Amino acid sequence: MAANLRTPTGPSVPYTLAPVPGLPDLESTSFASSFSLGPHSLVKSLVAGRPSLSHPSSIDPNASLLHASPVQSLAQRMVRKREFALQRSSLVGTSTPLKQNIELPAGENESVEEHEVGDSTEEGWTAVDRMRLWRHDAMTQHLYESSVYWGDKVLSWTHDPNDAFWLAQAHFLNHEYSRAETLLLKEFIAPSKTAASLKGKEREDVNGYLAEPIGGGKIQISGQQGSRLVDLSIGCRYLAAQCQVKLGKWADALELLGETNPFTQTGNSGPLVPNRDGGFKVEASMCHLRGLLLLRVNRADRAKQCFMEALALDVKCYDALEQLVAGEMMTVDEEWEFVQGLAYKEQTPEDAGFVRLMYMQRLKKYKHADEMADARKRLEQQYNLGGNSDVLFGLADTLYSQNRWADCFVITSQILNQVNIHTATLPLHLACMHHLPHMHSRLFLLAHELVEREPNSAISWYAVGVWYLTQKKYGEGRKYFSKASIMEPRFGPAWIGFGHTFALEGEHDQAVTAYSTASRLFQGSHLPLLFIGMQHLQVFNLTLANEHLAAAMKMCNSDPLVYNELGVLEYYNERYGDAALYLERALELADKTQSSQSIWIKTRFNLAQAYRRLGRLEEAKINFRKVLDLQPRNASAMTSLGMVQHLSGEVDDAIMSYHEALSVRPADNDTITLLNLALEDAADAGSLGFRGIAHSEDVWRANVLREQKQQEQIRKLAKVRGDTTKETSSISLASVSAIAGVSGMSLDDMDIA
């Protein structure tokens, strides 16, 4: 059984975010607008020089990935100097410039017009400028060691907090999380002013900071008391927290971020405050990271609020939506109301409709089918995204929720042909292969391929577990489901598959334990509660079954499977009228999904049994015949139809039905007993039937009494055997949000009381 992966929580330390320069404006900006890349013109050139296939450098192997260099940008050193002197480029996440007394070198007051014409030269670039460009281009080309190497030299010269941040970024990208954390948390001392212009090989940083001579030597500078970078910049604080997460220091990271959003009290925070530069709000990113940390310490309710806050603050933060939906943290109705109520127009007025339509495709598909179909149609026609993998996934998820596994498999195959591995699609793809017998061999090959390509991914070992479950090797499948749940504790399909292996072996207590763990982890899904209720039905614990099925119904009142199980529960409680209503509702919802009628054979069989107990024999016969139309060799339906015919006085038809049932299941003792009773009745009936025997009144009364006695024997027989064997459905194994499958319980017994 999978280990209980409860993470020990760190000590709860009251934490107040230290004041940050320009704090009221921090949360509404993104990194791009508030962090200088070094040479200020580099930012402008990156915006202006948008790379494309038609760009001359796009096919030049000697060009860098940054369309800015000393020979491509205007050499306006004096212009930049005066710009920086008037307004120092701010540290990431701060709108207030770092105050520095910058002295422009003497003798450099010449006119700048000479730099505005003619060819660009390297004359306007210092060594710091060039190495900053090397640092960024190395990061762009994933040469992180080179980026760290040159970034370290730049920081040694400039002592610039901007350069310290970018060096920490390079360390982070190079998986050197401890070095990045140390750099961001240690005291950082920046010089208060620069020296005069240096000559010869000595260079001065164009940002106004003193640079040491390239040729060596030391320059005495006057400094001031330093501060940690995390206290100067919200971006540095966010990056430091990311480093601590990677190092497993969850309590420290949570202390650094704060357990609540510190910006809510500033008066300049909220969904209606737009991002001024069009990027992502750092405040929203911090809320998302805070939610991840709270999940690590098993505080799912608080994490849910953080993710909702992150998405509300910035509707572009898809990571928060993915955590809410994939993590099953919200019910069907909660998801719909929350996503519909986001401030799209206030935050992204130009793209509000598009973002809303895309998010609708990611929600659960138990309700609002028409609205989601309309959204998908608009994305295909208006935005030309019919072949996009995320739009196709919305269609595949809809088909799977309707139990249309063959159609769903076609779509998931199309998605995986495009992107090879699509995290949201793979569980659906594997579940469809589980349900389609002719795909079992391909499931075996796919599981091997995933393990070879992604051995550290939980989905790979989950695929192996699905294969063993398909082969009814439940012990082996349980081992791999357990492994997947250990690798990724919040991977819902692994927990559900783990529980299924116990349920299919008849180990009800262990199955309930596994499903209970899934219910605790995925509080927005009704399926674990439904499966717990099904297990209690199997052992006739009707009180607990009622509690769990009622809870599942409250969370999702549009799943046909829930209504089927409630119908079975009411049948066992001998409330046959309520049972018939639930089962009728289940078939009504199934008809709306346009799924195959064969999937709901058991539900229709259950409805026919409820009609029989209510004395609605004609309706019972109609439904038994529909079952036989869909599954002609269903021996239980044949015997049950014979019972109804027998009770209706159609003895010859009943005998025929019993013979057909015995042709499929010859050794069924109950069917043989019922056949003998029917044959006796037929022998005694005569040519005019039971009530048409042409003899004395005494003979007539004797025949009536005998008939009543025989019917009582049938009822006793049914009660002795009645409702003792139940079939568990072939439950699907997609995701926690899509493990619907078909009706799980069937009243296959010959109960004619």
Side-chain angles (χ1 to χ4, degrees):
M1 183 171 181
N4 187 7
L5 300 175
R6 291 186 61 86
T7 305
T9 60
S12 178
V13 180
Y15 175 75
T16 304
L17 190 65
V20 183
L23 186 60
D25 296 330
L26 295 181
E27 66 274 9
S28 60
T29 59
S30 61
F31 286 178
S33 64
S34 54
F35 215 124
S36 170
L37 291 176
H40 198 65
S41 61
L42 183 59
V43 180
K44 299 178 182 178
S45 63
L46 286 173
V47 175
R50 298 174 182 173
S52 64
L53 293 178
S54 60
H55 196 280
S57 65
S58 63
I59 57 174
D60 184 2
N62 300 309
S64 70
L65 295 183
L66 295 177
H67 295 289
S69 71
V71 298
Q72 290 176 330
S73 300
L74 293 176
Q76 296 183 352
R77 181 180 180 186
M78 294 305 300
V79 174
R80 290 198 305 272
K81 275 177 170 274
R82 287 180 170 81
E83 287 178 352
F84 285 116
L86 294 174
Q87 183 174 2
R88 171 77 174 87
S89 63
S90 58
L91 194 60
V92 60
T94 61
S95 58
T96 302
L98 297 176
K99 297 180 180 179
Q100 303 291 340
N101 297 322
I102 301 176
E103 296 180 358
L104 292 179
E108 292 189 348
N109 56 357
E110 67 272 12
S111 173
V112 299
E113 280 75 6
E114 58 182 328
H115 297 288
E116 297 178 356
V117 296
D119 296 334
S120 299
T121 66
E122 196 174 356
E123 187 177 330
W125 285 67
T126 66
V128 171
D129 291 339
R130 291 190 293 272
M131 291 186 188
R132 279 173 173 161
L133 183 139
W134 297 351
R135 177 189 66 199
H136 279 76
D137 199 20
M139 280 195 287
T140 304
Q141 300 186 41
H142 309 288
L143 301 174
Y144 301 124
E145 289 288 352
S146 298
S147 180
V148 168
Y149 184 81
W150 297 115
D152 176 68
K153 308 307 175 287
V154 171
L155 180 62
S156 297
W157 289 335
T158 65
H159 301 283
D160 186 342
N162 282 285
D163 293 323
F165 174 84
W166 285 111
L167 178 58
Q169 283 279 22
H171 283 313
F172 185 88
L173 295 173
N174 201 32
H175 307 292
E176 298 172 344
Y177 308 118
S178 182
R179 293 182 66 181
E181 179 197 20
T182 301
L183 179 61
L184 294 168
L185 293 180
K186 74 177 183 180
E187 288 193 355
F188 186 84
I189 302 176
S192 59
K193 65 178 182 178
T194 64
S197 177
L198 302 175
K199 298 180 180 180
K201 294 183 179 179
E202 299 171 345
R203 296 288 189 272
E204 181 185 1
D205 176 18
V206 297
N207 281 351
Y209 287 104
L210 183 65
E212 292 194 16
I214 294 178
K218 295 184 178 180
I219 299 176
Q220 299 296 325
I221 60 174
S222 59
Q224 58 184 1
Q225 184 64 33
S227 300
R228 300 188 308 171
L229 286 177
V230 294
D231 297 327
L232 293 175
S233 162
I234 197 61
C236 292
R237 185 177 293 269
Y238 175 69
L239 180 58
Q242 289 277 19
C243 294
Q244 291 174 337
V245 170
K246 295 294 186 180
L247 294 171
K249 301 178 179 179
W250 302 325
D252 293 341
L254 192 58
E255 179 183 351
L256 192 63
L257 291 175
E259 292 195 7
T260 59
N261 186 357
F263 301 112
T264 55
Q265 306 299 324
T266 63
N268 192 27
S269 170
L272 301 181
V273 179
N275 183 285
R276 293 193 302 270
D277 51 49
F280 282 71
K281 292 183 182 179
V282 184
E283 179 187 10
S285 301
M286 292 181 67
C287 288
H288 172 260
L289 182 58
R290 186 180 297 112
L292 294 178
L293 288 168
L294 290 169
L295 280 181
R296 290 284 189 178
V297 296
N298 293 324
R299 296 172 60 184
D301 291 338
R302 184 70 188 93
K304 171 185 172 181
Q305 296 301 321
C306 290
F307 292 135
M308 293 176 66
E309 184 180 11
L311 191 58
L313 288 170
D314 195 336
V315 297
K316 302 182 295 294
C317 188
Y318 175 76
D319 292 72
L321 178 70
E322 182 66 16
Q323 287 293 332
L324 290 169
V325 177
E328 296 289 347
M329 307 185 81
M330 305 176 74
T331 64
V332 178
D333 294 329
E334 286 177 343
E335 280 184 2
W336 181 264
E337 293 173 3
F338 176 66
V339 169
Q340 294 299 317
L342 294 174
Y344 300 104
K345 292 184 179 179
E346 291 77 7
Q347 297 183 29
T348 59
E350 297 87 358
D351 304 309
F354 171 71
V355 176
R356 178 175 170 273
L357 293 174
M358 287 299 303
Y359 284 179
M360 287 173 62
Q361 295 300 300
R362 191 64 183 88
L363 306 182
K364 297 185 182 75
K365 305 302 190 297
Y366 290 107
K367 288 186 176 180
H368 310 288
D370 294 337
E371 292 89 337
M372 291 186 181
D374 181 66
R376 185 166 56 252
K377 183 177 180 181
R378 290 182 58 189
L379 288 170
E380 294 173 357
Q381 297 179 356
Q382 185 175 346
Y383 296 98
N384 196 27
L385 288 176
N388 181 264
S389 58
D390 292 317
V391 176
L392 289 174
F393 169 75
L395 175 59
D397 197 18
T398 300
L399 294 172
Y400 189 87
S401 67
Q402 298 172 353
N403 301 304
R404 297 165 61 181
W405 299 312
D407 296 334
C408 180
F409 179 78
V410 173
I411 303 300
T412 56
S413 299
Q414 183 178 348
I415 296 172
L416 296 179
N417 287 336
Q418 290 182 8
V419 296
N420 196 8
I421 292 180
H422 193 266
T423 305
T425 300
L426 267 175
L428 293 181
H429 190 69
L430 294 169
C432 292
M433 299 177 83
H434 165 75
H435 281 293
L436 301 173
H438 63 283
M439 288 294 171
H440 290 177
S441 59
R442 291 182 59 179
L443 173 60
F444 175 82
L445 296 175
L446 177 60
H448 273 274
E449 182 182 353
L450 288 173
V451 170
E452 291 178 359
R453 288 189 307 182
E454 303 287 339
N456 297 322
S457 175
I459 189 67
S460 301
W461 300 105
Y462 168 75
V464 178
V466 174
W467 157 252
Y468 280 111
L469 188 68
T470 301
Q471 301 304 306
K472 299 183 180 181
K473 297 180 180 179
Y474 304 124
E476 292 294 323
R478 180 158 54 247
K479 180 174 67 175
Y480 289 105
F481 286 136
S482 176
K483 181 173 183 177
S485 66
I486 292 174
M487 296 177 68
E488 179 52 63
R490 292 195 60 82
F491 183 49
W495 284 105
I496 298 298
F498 186 71
H500 287 348
T501 59
F502 286 117
L504 294 170
E505 284 184 333
E507 300 289 344
H508 304 296
D509 292 339
Q510 291 89 335
V512 168
T513 301
Y515 293 142
S516 297
T517 303
S519 178
R520 177 177 56 83
L521 293 174
F522 311 104
Q523 300 179 8
S525 175
H526 70 288
L527 294 172
L529 293 172
L530 173 62
F531 297 147
I532 294 173
M534 292 168 63
Q535 292 305 304
H536 286 306
L537 277 177
Q538 294 244 346
V539 295
F540 285 89
N541 193 339
L542 302 184
T543 301
L544 289 177
N546 182 60
E547 292 178 2
H548 288 90
L549 292 177
M553 169 65 74
K554 185 177 180 181
M555 295 179 66
C556 181
N557 59 3
S558 56
D559 186 356
L561 183 56
V562 179
Y563 286 95
N564 177 78
E565 303 308 313
L566 285 170
V568 174
L569 175 66
E570 295 300 332
Y571 186 95
Y572 290 157
N573 286 324
E574 299 185 357
R575 294 192 286 266
Y576 306 117
D578 293 337
L581 290 176
Y582 280 126
L583 295 167
E584 288 171 351
R585 178 60 177 163
L587 291 175
E588 180 183 344
L589 290 173
D591 290 338
K592 290 182 178 179
T593 63
Q594 301 178 359
S595 58
S596 174
Q597 292 293 321
S598 61
I599 296 174
W600 301 101
I601 288 177
K602 294 180 181 180
T603 302
R604 190 167 295 281
F605 183 90
N606 295 343
L607 178 60
Q609 295 282 27
Y611 284 152
R612 178 184 54 76
R613 297 298 293 264
L614 290 170
R616 298 160 62 175
L617 301 182
E618 288 301 320
E619 294 173 276
K621 282 191 289 185
I622 291 173
N623 282 276
F624 281 132
R625 288 194 174 103
K626 287 183 178 179
V627 171
L628 291 172
D629 289 340
L630 297 169
Q631 199 173 58
R633 293 183 61 80
N634 189 322
S636 296
M638 294 175 185
T639 302
S640 299
L641 177 60
M643 295 177 191
V644 176
Q645 292 169 335
H646 198 165
L647 290 172
S648 301
E650 302 170 0
V651 182
D652 292 338
D653 293 336
I655 293 172
M656 182 65 68
S657 296
Y658 293 146
H659 277 296
E660 291 175 353
L662 289 172
S663 68
V664 177
R665 197 162 54 191
D668 188 79
N669 292 327
D670 294 327
T671 304
I672 293 173
T673 301
L674 290 169
L675 175 60
N676 291 333
L677 290 173
L679 290 173
E680 290 177 7
D681 288 343
D684 295 338
S687 59
L688 299 178
F690 286 117
R691 296 172 179 78
I693 299 175
H695 292 286
S696 65
E697 185 175 347
D698 294 336
V699 177
W700 165 253
R701 289 184 182 277
N703 287 334
V704 171
L705 291 174
R706 184 175 56 79
E707 177 187 356
Q708 292 175 351
K709 184 178 179 180
Q710 289 175 345
Q711 291 183 359
E712 184 63 27
Q713 289 177 347
I714 297 174
R715 290 190 180 92
K716 288 181 179 180
L717 174 64
K719 285 191 176 294
V720 170
R721 185 175 186 259
D723 308 334
T724 57
T725 59
K726 296 164 285 295
E727 296 182 6
T728 302
S729 66
S730 53
I731 306 169
S732 62
L733 295 168
S735 60
V736 178
S737 63
I739 309 177
V742 297
S743 66
M745 304 289 290
S746 176
L747 305 173
D748 282 348
D749 312 306
M750 290 161 287
D751 177 7
I752 63 168

